[in-house]
Amino acid sequence: MLKFLRKYNTLILVVGGSLLMVVFLMPEVLNQVGANMGRRTTAFRVGGEKVSVVERDRIARELAIINGLLPSSFPDITFMVARLDPNDDADRWVLMVKEAERAGLVGGPKDGASFLPQLAQLYERNAIQARLGSVNAQLLLDFMQNQGRPATLSRRVTEEELDMALAHLHGVIRLRGMFASAQRISRPRAIREARDVLTEAEVSMVFLPAERDAAVAGAPEPTEEALVEFFEARRELAPEESDDGIGYLLAPRVKLEYLTIRRAGLASVITPDPIEVYQRYERSGREDAFADVRPIFEKEIIDERINEILREADRAVEAAVRAASAKLADSGEFQVIPEGWDDTPVSMETLRDAITERVRKTLGVEITPPEVTILDESWQTADDLVRLGELGRSQVRLPVGGPVNFPQGALGVREIESTPNRLATQVGLPCTTPFETFPRDVCYFRILGARDQSPPDSIDEVRERVVDDYKTMQAYETMLDFADDNRVSAVERGLDFLADTGTTTDPDLRPVRLTGNINVRQDFATIGTSPRGAISARELDEDGRKAILEVASQLDPTIPAADQDLDMRTLALPNRKERGVAIVRIDAFIPATRREFLSVAGSVGGQIRVREYRAAIETSDPFSLESLIDRLDVTGLEQRDRDGEDEAQAQDEPEAADA
């Protein structure tokens, strides 16, 4: 064997080396072949122009690149500024980019790099409109530039790829803006709209709520069948979605427990060392007598000791959560909690003892154990959480996005998808970020259960509300038969008479009172002289405001309204959503002046365009995948989507057959 190897060693080395070179170079060759095939393979065509698989995947990847600029606990950037879901809208994004490029709206990498400040402002504005809490654009920009950008570049993304992705997003936003402002409004229409918007009437009102009649008249108890029918018709509706303002869709809600560390309690167990107090006085160089300034230095020492205790408490909580999490499987930034998991090590009572023991061992201070409150018997909505005393008003400041108040933090749990999870919390594990109350006490909480917005499981969950609402609606229907009688009483005896007859001492019933100085315009009614900061008169809905302005326009503005026909000026306006009847007296008609018209003339056209664009996209979104395919004459994409649907249907059919 050795003779054979010595005889053919040169040949063996040549053949072996050649094989090693082939093995070493093969992956690169295969990658190049795959890339070339991808460039030659057509994904679909846009108006005859080929879009290769490689190009399609490159542009689609930009959604993830852009959204990587913010932590995953934040709503996606592409969704907040362009309503694009990175999981479902890849093809839509590619087509929007292609259309923006065709329109000449996409710049180069420099345009993308300079777009970040504007992007932060757009995110802030849209977050406020979506009621996602306070988001500070400057803090957002600082994070994206100093943390998000470097983190994205570390994930095998080049600067040119990142900046080009931002340039594409900028182009898409320009494209959407062009669509929103494309409509042209004629001058006569703008004048008519401005007149309608500015025309105003001043009224006085007595609102007669139906629940008062239901309670005073002792409405009969409804049958079970009637209650169930009433409940089922509104079971899955939110109050604002129902035509009568009644809906039983329950808001996001949680069960929780929390722990409170009170600074006053910590201060009571800390006694400053007299020697240290005097040393600080000497180092300060103050000329005041020691006795006069001694409390200042004592408070300084106490505050420092309290902060040390709070730091140790924070370490105790983090250590307990870290130890518990280490035994659980990971799912991204969250843990998978198995059914029947023993949560005793992370309960607030266990953490209370852990904090007390750690402070005693590390600092030698015996503190009063923190207070623990457990709310596991009833669900807590945002309104309930706000009412939890100091905790309900507490907040935490994050490095990005501004402060988070306690209701936002508690409801922003992983299991409630309709609210942003800025603290990366989940059911079962404590939130390790402490909330600070206004007395500067510190609170930790743990969510024990969470339910997103959902209908009640049964009528029994909201039975009391259903009974009250049913009686109120029956009383409302009866009120409509006597609405004109109340109007006539107001004409003959005055609104004060109606207000006096409606007096009640029941705190659960809406008071019946005379309200004057109500300014009514086409789009709003407010109590006060200025729409800004004034109280909305929600008892006057759109139909009611329209009726008031229609009658008011028949008055002579040169003659005081009080000298004109009172019967004509007095209206009975039912409001189904508020479940009552408003008896209204028109006290003045204030037509729009030329000066007022000129002050808003420039913005009226824009307001009309925005309103009509929003109404249009609700029925036919110009940027839906279907609209883009039709407008851009896309071929190949429809068949691919249809094939995917057929494949999914084929996969579901066996499951349906088994069921």
Side-chain angles (χ1 to χ4, degrees):
M1 183 66 180
L2 292 176
K3 291 180 179 179
F4 176 83
L5 291 175
R6 281 196 295 270
K7 182 177 181 181
Y8 298 104
N9 65 338
T10 303
L11 179 61
I12 292 171
L13 289 174
V14 171
V15 173
S18 300
L19 289 174
L20 286 174
M21 289 178 64
V22 169
V23 171
F24 179 75
L25 295 175
M26 185 59 71
E28 184 177 350
V29 171
L30 291 175
N31 287 336
Q32 290 179 354
V33 170
N36 290 331
M37 290 179 64
R39 293 188 188 97
R40 291 195 296 268
T41 304
T42 301
F44 49 81
R45 293 181 180 273
V46 179
E49 176 190 348
K50 184 182 76 171
V51 177
S52 69
V53 171
V54 169
E55 183 181 12
R56 185 265 177 196
D57 292 346
R58 174 179 57 79
I59 298 176
R61 179 173 173 247
E62 291 176 344
L63 289 173
I65 292 175
I66 294 169
N67 292 323
L69 291 171
L70 286 182
S72 59
S73 57
F74 273 65
D76 290 321
I77 295 175
T78 55
F79 180 78
M80 290 297 296
V81 303
R83 290 297 181 264
L84 285 160
D85 187 333
N87 297 319
D88 301 326
D89 290 335
D91 288 332
R92 194 158 73 95
W93 164 252
V94 175
L95 294 182
M96 291 173 74
V97 168
K98 283 295 179 182
E99 186 170 24
E101 289 177 339
R102 282 184 166 191
L105 301 175
V106 177
K110 288 185 179 180
D111 177 61
S114 62
F115 177 54
L116 277 180
Q118 185 181 344
L119 178 60
Q121 293 173 357
L122 279 171
Y123 194 100
E124 177 188 48
R125 185 173 67 233
N126 292 346
I128 293 173
Q129 292 176 352
R131 299 180 180 179
L132 297 179
S134 173
V135 176
N136 185 285
Q138 186 57 51
L139 293 176
L140 207 63
L141 176 62
D142 291 343
F143 183 91
M144 287 192 291
Q145 289 178 330
N146 301 324
Q147 298 185 50
R149 187 179 180 89
T152 300
L153 295 176
S154 68
R155 293 191 286 267
R156 301 180 66 181
V157 176
T158 67
E159 287 199 13
E160 184 177 359
E161 287 176 328
L162 173 57
D163 292 338
M164 203 61 227
L166 291 170
H168 283 158
L169 180 61
H170 199 184
V172 166
I173 291 172
R174 291 185 182 117
L175 180 68
R176 296 182 72 103
M178 285 181 62
F179 265 78
S181 61
Q183 184 183 7
R184 291 293 177 262
I185 308 301
S186 67
R187 178 175 174 81
R189 186 181 177 192
I191 293 173
R192 186 171 64 252
E193 184 83 10
R195 181 197 63 201
D196 293 342
V197 167
L198 294 172
T199 297
E200 182 177 336
E202 184 178 304
V203 305
S204 297
M205 175 187 70
V206 171
F207 186 77
L208 304 174
E211 70 262 23
R212 176 187 172 278
D213 280 7
V216 173
E221 293 298 321
T223 64
E224 183 66 17
E225 293 77 14
L227 277 182
V228 171
E229 182 181 357
F230 186 87
F231 165 73
E232 289 296 337
R234 300 161 177 81
R235 180 174 178 269
E236 297 185 2
L237 296 178
E240 62 272 13
E241 298 172 337
S242 171
D243 64 347
D244 54 17
I246 299 174
Y248 300 112
L249 189 69
L250 299 177
R253 51 211 184 275
V254 295
K255 293 180 180 180
L256 73 156
E257 60 176 352
Y258 60 92
L259 175 152
T260 306
I261 305 176
R262 301 198 179 278
R263 297 182 72 94
L266 299 180
S268 66
V269 299
I270 298 173
T271 303
D273 183 355
I275 296 176
E276 183 181 359
V277 174
Y278 189 77
Q279 288 175 340
R280 292 195 180 205
Y281 164 72
E282 285 193 325
R283 288 196 299 268
S284 70
R286 298 186 62 157
E287 298 180 357
D288 308 82
F290 174 63
D292 295 337
V293 297
R294 178 174 181 167
I296 297 175
F297 295 105
E298 288 180 338
K299 184 178 183 305
E300 183 180 281
I301 293 173
I302 290 173
D303 288 343
E304 289 178 2
R305 298 293 186 271
I306 288 175
N307 290 335
E308 290 176 1
I309 292 173
L310 293 179
R311 282 194 292 271
E312 290 303 322
D314 201 42
R315 294 185 182 111
V317 172
E318 287 188 355
V321 174
R322 189 165 52 248
S325 300
K327 301 176 182 178
L328 300 172
D330 289 335
S331 175
E333 60 181 326
F334 299 102
Q335 275 67 47
V336 179
I337 298 180
E339 188 175 352
W341 177 63
D342 181 14
D343 63 352
T344 304
V346 291
S347 71
M348 288 294 114
E349 293 178 339
T350 302
L351 293 183
R352 174 195 60 196
D353 298 338
I355 290 171
T356 305
E357 181 65 16
R358 185 182 182 100
V359 170
R360 185 182 65 79
K361 285 185 176 180
T362 58
L363 301 178
V365 179
E366 197 73 41
I367 64 172
T368 303
E371 303 170 12
V372 173
T373 304
I374 303 175
L375 301 174
D376 60 352
E377 295 184 356
S378 60
W379 292 104
Q380 308 292 316
T381 65
D383 292 338
D384 298 324
L385 295 171
V386 168
R387 290 192 285 267
L388 291 179
E390 296 168 0
L391 177 64
R393 299 186 297 274
S394 65
Q395 63 179 19
V396 60
R397 294 189 176 275
L398 300 180
V400 177
V404 176
N405 61 45
F406 178 71
Q408 290 173 337
L411 292 172
V413 69
R414 177 194 186 188
E415 288 74 10
I416 297 181
E417 297 180 355
S418 61
T419 52
N421 189 344
R422 296 178 58 190
L423 299 175
T425 53
Q426 68 179 99
V427 170
L429 292 175
C431 175
T432 57
T433 304
F435 278 73
E436 187 173 281
T437 69
F438 286 107
R440 297 188 64 204
D441 295 336
V442 170
C443 299
Y444 295 89
F445 72 90
R446 181 170 74 109
I447 301 300
L448 305 175
R451 293 191 66 178
D452 208 340
Q453 188 179 53
S454 59
D457 294 331
S458 71
I459 188 174
D460 293 329
E461 196 170 345
V462 289
R463 178 174 291 275
E464 187 175 341
R465 281 176 55 194
V466 175
V467 172
D468 290 342
D469 291 339
Y470 181 89
K471 291 181 178 180
T472 299
M473 286 308 301
Q474 294 301 305
Y476 172 76
E477 298 297 337
T478 303
M479 283 185 71
L480 297 181
D481 297 334
F482 299 97
D484 194 62
D485 293 342
N486 285 318
R487 187 193 71 82
V488 172
S489 294
V491 173
E492 295 176 349
R493 302 188 181 187
L495 290 176
D496 298 59
F497 170 77
L498 284 182
D500 292 340
T501 58
T503 302
T504 178
T505 57
D506 190 337
D508 295 329
L509 297 178
R510 280 185 287 180
V512 177
R513 61 167 67 98
L514 172 62
T515 305
N517 195 27
I518 302 176
N519 302 290
V520 179
R521 289 191 178 183
Q522 175 182 270
D523 298 326
F524 60 82
T526 55
I527 303 170
T529 57
S530 171
R532 292 187 178 181
I535 301 172
S536 173
R538 65 177 187 273
E539 296 86 355
L540 299 176
D541 59 9
E542 183 179 355
D543 291 338
R545 297 193 300 269
K546 183 178 179 180
I548 290 171
L549 293 173
E550 185 176 338
V551 173
S553 64
Q554 300 174 30
L555 299 177
D556 187 342
T558 64
I559 302 175
D563 297 335
Q564 301 185 54
D565 186 2
L566 178 60
D567 185 70
M568 183 186 75
R569 293 187 292 114
T570 306
L571 309 174
L573 304 172
N575 187 327
R576 188 173 178 82
K577 271 190 178 290
E578 290 297 322
R579 298 177 292 287
V581 176
I583 308 300
V584 173
R585 183 187 67 219
I586 300 174
D587 298 326
F589 173 56
I590 310 169
T593 64
R594 177 179 177 81
R595 182 175 182 179
E596 287 176 322
F597 171 75
L598 292 175
S599 68
V600 302
S603 62
V604 167
Q607 293 172 2
I608 297 173
R609 283 195 297 268
V610 170
R611 184 173 66 245
E612 296 191 351
Y613 174 73
R614 288 177 177 171
I617 63 176
E618 288 182 0
T619 56
S620 178
D621 184 358
F623 295 104
S624 68
L625 184 60
E626 295 77 11
S627 297
L628 288 165
I629 289 174
D630 183 60
R631 188 167 62 248
L632 299 178
D633 188 22
V634 178
T635 57
L637 186 57
E638 314 98 312
Q639 184 61 43
R640 190 181 68 185
D641 291 342
R642 193 178 303 115
D643 292 342
E645 293 174 3
D646 293 342
E647 182 180 347
Q649 185 177 359
Q651 291 175 353
D652 292 340
E653 284 175 356
E655 297 178 8
D658 294 339

